[in-house]
Amino acid sequence: MKSFLTSVKSFISNHFLRFTQRDTLLILDRFHWKDKICGHHLFLLDVKRKKLKQLHVPKVTDSDMGFKMVCSCNGLLCVIHYSLDQNSTIFLWNPTTTQTMRIMEPENALLPYKVPPHCLLGFYLNTSDSDYQVVRLHSFRDTNNACFGDYFTKICAVRVEKYSLRRGSWREIKYSNNQCVTVNGCLFWTENSVTLEETLFWVAMEVNDKFSNEMIISFNTHNNVISKIELPPLVKDCNEVHKKLAVYKDSVAVIICSETETMAQCLDLWVFYDKYEGVECWCKLHTIGMFSRLERPVGVLKNEILISTDRVIHSVGGTIALLPEDDLGAEFSYNVFNYVENFRTSYGGNLDVEEADPLERKGVSLHDLFFSSVNI
């Protein structure tokens, strides 16, 4: 046990301290589909050179049912590896060194559903303890007897578990009755998430047998407070097509793509303010469009809205990257993550290491793949 804690402490301290800021690069999480065929890929985007390099997500279970990117923090990616059986797992991955660390579930697991979309998952650095932590929120009616039928139709409490990388264990956050946040039925993770000043935000939906309601769920990692935030109002005479959470000028924002009856599309940037006299409100700062072609919101880079078509990712300032030609014509969705490159390579026996970096095998120099923090 002492050896394990020593190794984890070394793992955390080295990831916290060893990073180099260089040119702006992003990690793009792309899901695309056409007819019944779908694909899911991660890319490294060199913004300056406008180039994409594919990243190969390692397999950490015997089953290969796909993956979900959760978050990026100081050179570590938090990823879900899905499986048809009970082996779906959360793991941490350093793409630069190809090392992985699997987050083990407790034997007396609280959750009926351990992975998204049936729960909300986040990953962050607790700076006060220099400890990386995974946080998991879910709706749960009865801790001793959780049945899906009851869970889906009745009012449920949102409950929280935290995993400490330093301690190597999960713990539940206890709330009193007046602190408890409830949802109507089952809580699903429907879109991306962002982190702002160690507060995590997700787009989520409460679903029961009569209605569904999409909202933003936030979790303050300092005081463990959970909050529900209503989304901005819909644009009159328009249908909402897509949305993305983002951070814009140190505030939480959402980019909403709306479509008119004539199929023209526009993007609205809404910013959430909650720091003035205790008043919470959404303010629409920008509208881009109307577009006659298909556009998708991606995120915010250096306070500019990123948009993607089926051929290119761009901002108002110009092209950011050209997309792979073999996927032209497919429906698509992007998530974008900031990244801080880390070359730490030795973590004792708690990490599995692949034989070689896939990027190196393709002749790409790691010197050209330095990562830096960016505002997303």
Side-chain angles (χ1 to χ4, degrees):
M1 183 65 180
K2 183 177 180 181
S3 175
F4 170 80
L5 293 176
T6 301
S7 298
V8 171
K9 183 177 181 180
S10 174
F11 177 88
I12 293 169
S13 61
N14 279 285
H15 268 90
F16 184 49
L17 296 176
R18 295 190 182 190
F19 61 90
T20 306
Q21 293 189 353
R22 299 292 178 96
D23 294 337
T24 298
L25 288 89
L26 302 175
I27 288 180
L28 300 179
D29 180 18
R30 188 187 200 211
F31 184 79
H32 60 94
W33 63 97
K34 186 176 183 179
D35 299 326
K36 296 183 179 181
I37 301 174
C38 63
H40 192 184
H41 303 94
L42 281 186
F43 294 96
L44 173 70
L45 170 58
D46 185 326
V47 175
K48 182 178 180 180
R49 300 173 186 174
K50 299 181 175 62
K51 291 184 178 180
L52 289 173
K53 302 290 184 181
Q54 186 171 347
L55 298 177
H56 301 277
V57 179
K59 288 181 61 176
V60 295
T61 70
D62 294 333
S63 178
D64 189 10
M65 295 301 298
F67 67 92
K68 179 178 178 63
M69 268 290 301
V70 175
C71 192
S72 169
C73 183
N74 284 357
L76 290 176
L77 305 185
C78 183
V79 187
I80 295 290
H81 189 192
Y82 288 109
S83 174
L84 285 175
D85 53 26
Q86 297 300 313
N87 291 323
S88 293
T89 189
I90 307 165
F91 70 99
L92 305 181
W93 171 38
N94 184 333
T96 305
T97 64
T98 73
Q99 293 174 294
T100 61
M101 173 179 285
R102 185 168 177 173
I103 305 299
M104 304 305 294
E105 294 289 345
E107 293 183 1
N108 57 341
L110 171 70
L111 300 178
Y113 302 103
K114 302 176 184 178
V115 295
H118 301 286
C119 64
L120 312 181
L121 204 66
F123 175 59
Y124 68 100
L125 175 65
N126 184 333
T127 54
S128 60
D129 296 332
S130 296
D131 183 18
Y132 289 98
Q133 297 185 343
V134 177
V135 62
R136 181 162 53 188
L137 283 70
H138 63 110
S139 51
F140 204 72
R141 181 171 176 263
D142 190 329
T143 58
N144 298 314
N145 185 21
C147 126
F148 183 79
D150 290 342
Y151 165 69
F152 192 73
T153 59
K154 298 185 182 299
I155 294 177
C156 298
V158 177
R159 298 174 63 176
V160 181
E161 285 186 321
K162 280 186 179 180
Y163 179 89
S164 165
L165 196 60
R166 181 181 295 278
R167 298 180 179 86
S169 61
W170 290 92
R171 68 182 179 93
E172 183 184 0
I173 306 300
K174 300 295 185 180
Y175 294 96
S176 61
N177 290 336
N178 61 345
Q179 294 175 318
C180 186
V181 173
T182 61
V183 292
N184 293 306
C186 180
L187 186 65
F188 285 99
W189 187 1
T190 58
E191 256 299 345
N192 65 318
S193 63
V194 297
T195 302
L196 177 62
E197 298 177 352
E198 295 190 32
T199 296
L200 310 179
F201 298 84
W202 299 266
V203 179
M205 182 175 290
E206 54 182 356
V207 180
N208 61 35
D209 56 352
K210 295 182 179 179
F211 78 100
S212 62
N213 177 47
E214 200 166 34
M215 69 186 81
I216 294 173
I217 299 288
S218 70
F219 177 72
N220 187 312
T221 61
H222 289 291
N223 55 24
N224 296 326
V225 171
I226 308 168
S227 300
K228 296 193 296 185
I229 304 171
E230 293 299 322
L231 286 164
L234 296 176
V235 178
K236 185 178 180 181
D237 299 325
C238 289
N239 295 320
E240 181 183 298
V241 182
H242 291 279
K243 67 170 68 70
K244 288 292 176 185
L245 271 183
V247 175
Y248 182 81
K249 294 184 177 180
D250 299 323
S251 295
V252 173
V254 60
I255 309 167
I256 297 179
C257 177
S258 301
E259 187 175 78
T260 67
E261 294 180 352
T262 61
M263 306 300 287
Q265 294 183 348
C266 68
L267 297 178
D268 294 318
L269 175 67
W270 293 82
V271 177
F272 184 71
Y273 295 106
D274 63 350
K275 299 179 180 179
Y276 302 101
E277 298 181 355
V279 177
E280 297 182 349
C281 65
W282 287 99
C283 180
K284 184 162 68 172
L285 296 187
H286 299 291
T287 296
I288 303 177
M290 297 283 184
F291 301 108
S292 58
R293 59 185 178 179
L294 189 66
E295 300 276 356
R296 295 286 185 268
V298 175
V300 173
L301 172 63
K302 296 180 179 179
N303 295 322
E304 285 195 8
I305 299 175
L306 297 183
I307 310 167
S308 65
T309 68
D310 58 350
R311 296 176 180 270
V312 64
I313 295 177
H314 64 98
S315 67
V316 174
T319 298
I320 303 296
L322 299 177
L323 302 180
E325 293 185 2
D326 56 349
D327 294 328
L328 294 182
E331 281 283 343
F332 56 91
S333 176
Y334 269 100
N335 288 324
V336 62
F337 300 88
N338 58 328
Y339 194 88
V340 179
E341 183 269 354
N342 194 310
F343 283 100
R344 177 63 179 167
T345 58
S346 177
Y347 306 99
N350 297 303
L351 289 164
D352 298 322
V353 185
E354 295 178 1
E355 292 182 359
D357 193 316
L359 293 170
E360 291 181 324
R361 289 200 293 269
K362 293 184 178 181
V364 180
S365 170
L366 282 178
H367 176 75
D368 297 328
L369 300 180
F370 276 47
F371 300 90
S372 69
S373 286
V374 294
N375 289 324
I376 297 294

